[in-house]
Amino acid sequence: MIEAADHLEQTKSADKFSELEKRAQKLFTRVEKSGEGGELLLYVLLETVLQLPQLLCKMPLKTSSEMHVHGSDGVHANLLGDGTLALYWGESKLYANANAAIDNCFASIAPYLTDEGGVKATERDLLLVREHLDAGDQEATAALVRYFEDSGAESAKVEFRGACLVGFDLKDYPEPYAAEGEILDQVVKAIEKWHQRIAARIGDNKLESFEFEVFCVPMPSVKEFREAMQDRLGLKK
């Protein structure tokens, strides 16, 4: 991306960005019920809303555009004031039913944060982060890598967190605000139900000791969202 931006500035040509667009397009799958739309949406929300830069993206590691990469949807980070590196394991689920989306999302992210069974699934992703980490600056990258070296003092200052996005259908998709700017009662009640379901699944999966960022994204239709994304990317069969 940096190389393409430099090329544009020097030559006024966007051909490098066009090349990147084509390469990125090939990474997306044409699988009908792909969850990549949720992955992309989670990435945008973490990067732009919470300003948590991504350290690892799984999509470039694919060996086939028609297969999903095992593991979390991505790893984002935040350097805290005390020098601790907070790592956010991302997980997104898109289902027609809100409860199904919430249940599956927290069941999927639990292995990356807990160590039941002996070995954390996190270890595989930590290895990938160390091998593929690129902060865009050589000095910054070297500083971050020290957090992933077992012998380094910084490795003791890593905190695992979760970042979840659950997308689901919402019948009679409402306008959320009343005439005077007040949130409609039906919206408030729906949010309370989602919150309760999330709290219950956090408890069921023994995740109470971890900090989470959770985005609930109701949609008129998850199916139409997937179709619209594939159409926009030119992936429709």
Side-chain angles (χ1 to χ4, degrees):
M1 182 70 75
I2 295 175
E3 180 183 346
D6 290 341
H7 181 74
L8 175 63
E9 183 178 351
Q10 293 170 11
T11 68
K12 308 304 180 185
S13 170
D15 57 345
K16 293 292 185 181
F17 279 108
S18 297
E19 290 175 14
L20 286 175
E21 182 179 1
K22 291 176 181 178
R23 286 169 54 190
Q25 188 181 51
K26 292 178 181 178
L27 297 176
F28 287 90
T29 178
R30 289 176 169 81
V31 176
E32 183 178 352
K33 293 187 177 181
S34 168
E36 290 174 346
E39 294 177 31
L40 188 58
L41 185 55
L42 177 60
Y43 163 79
V44 170
L45 290 171
L46 290 175
E47 284 268 350
T48 62
V49 177
L50 299 185
Q51 297 185 341
L52 300 176
Q54 188 179 69
L55 296 187
L56 176 67
C57 175
K58 291 298 184 65
M59 293 187 70
L61 305 180
K62 286 183 177 182
T63 56
S64 168
S65 62
E66 298 310 307
M67 293 183 66
H68 294 286
V69 177
H70 297 296
S72 61
D73 288 347
V75 180
H76 291 249
N78 183 26
L79 187 60
L80 306 181
D82 64 355
T84 297
L85 185 67
L87 295 178
Y88 293 79
W89 261 255
E91 189 66 39
S92 62
K93 295 295 180 184
L94 302 179
Y95 285 80
N97 180 270
N99 288 343
I102 293 169
D103 294 353
N104 280 277
C105 187
F106 284 92
S108 293
I109 201 172
Y112 294 92
L113 300 176
T114 62
D115 57 1
E116 289 190 11
V119 179
K120 288 185 179 181
T122 312
E123 292 181 6
R124 179 180 60 245
D125 278 8
L126 283 175
L127 177 61
L128 290 173
V129 170
R130 185 167 65 240
E131 292 181 348
H132 298 277
L133 180 62
D134 183 0
D137 176 88
Q138 191 172 15
E139 187 175 337
T141 298
L144 284 171
V145 165
R146 288 197 289 270
Y147 282 92
F148 304 98
E149 296 174 344
D150 295 336
S151 59
E154 290 91 343
S155 64
K157 303 192 71 175
V158 176
E159 178 183 322
F160 296 146
R161 300 181 179 185
C164 299
L165 181 143
V166 288
F168 44 83
D169 290 358
L170 185 62
K171 293 182 179 180
D172 302 321
Y173 197 84
E175 290 290 339
Y177 297 103
E180 297 180 359
E182 295 181 355
I183 297 179
L184 296 173
D185 287 342
Q186 67 186 105
V187 178
V188 173
K189 291 177 181 177
I191 293 173
E192 289 175 351
K193 288 182 179 179
W194 304 334
H195 185 273
Q196 291 168 3
R197 189 78 179 193
I198 290 169
R201 295 294 82 81
I202 286 176
D204 291 345
N205 289 286
K206 301 178 181 179
L207 297 169
E208 299 95 332
S209 63
F210 297 95
E211 184 171 320
F212 282 91
E213 301 291 346
V214 183
F215 298 95
C216 292
V217 185
M219 305 177 181
S221 170
V222 165
K223 182 175 183 292
E224 290 180 4
F225 170 76
R226 287 197 183 101
E227 291 175 347
M229 179 181 170
Q230 289 191 326
D231 183 55
R232 180 66 180 83
L233 293 170
L235 298 175
K236 275 199 172 183
K237 293 181 179 180

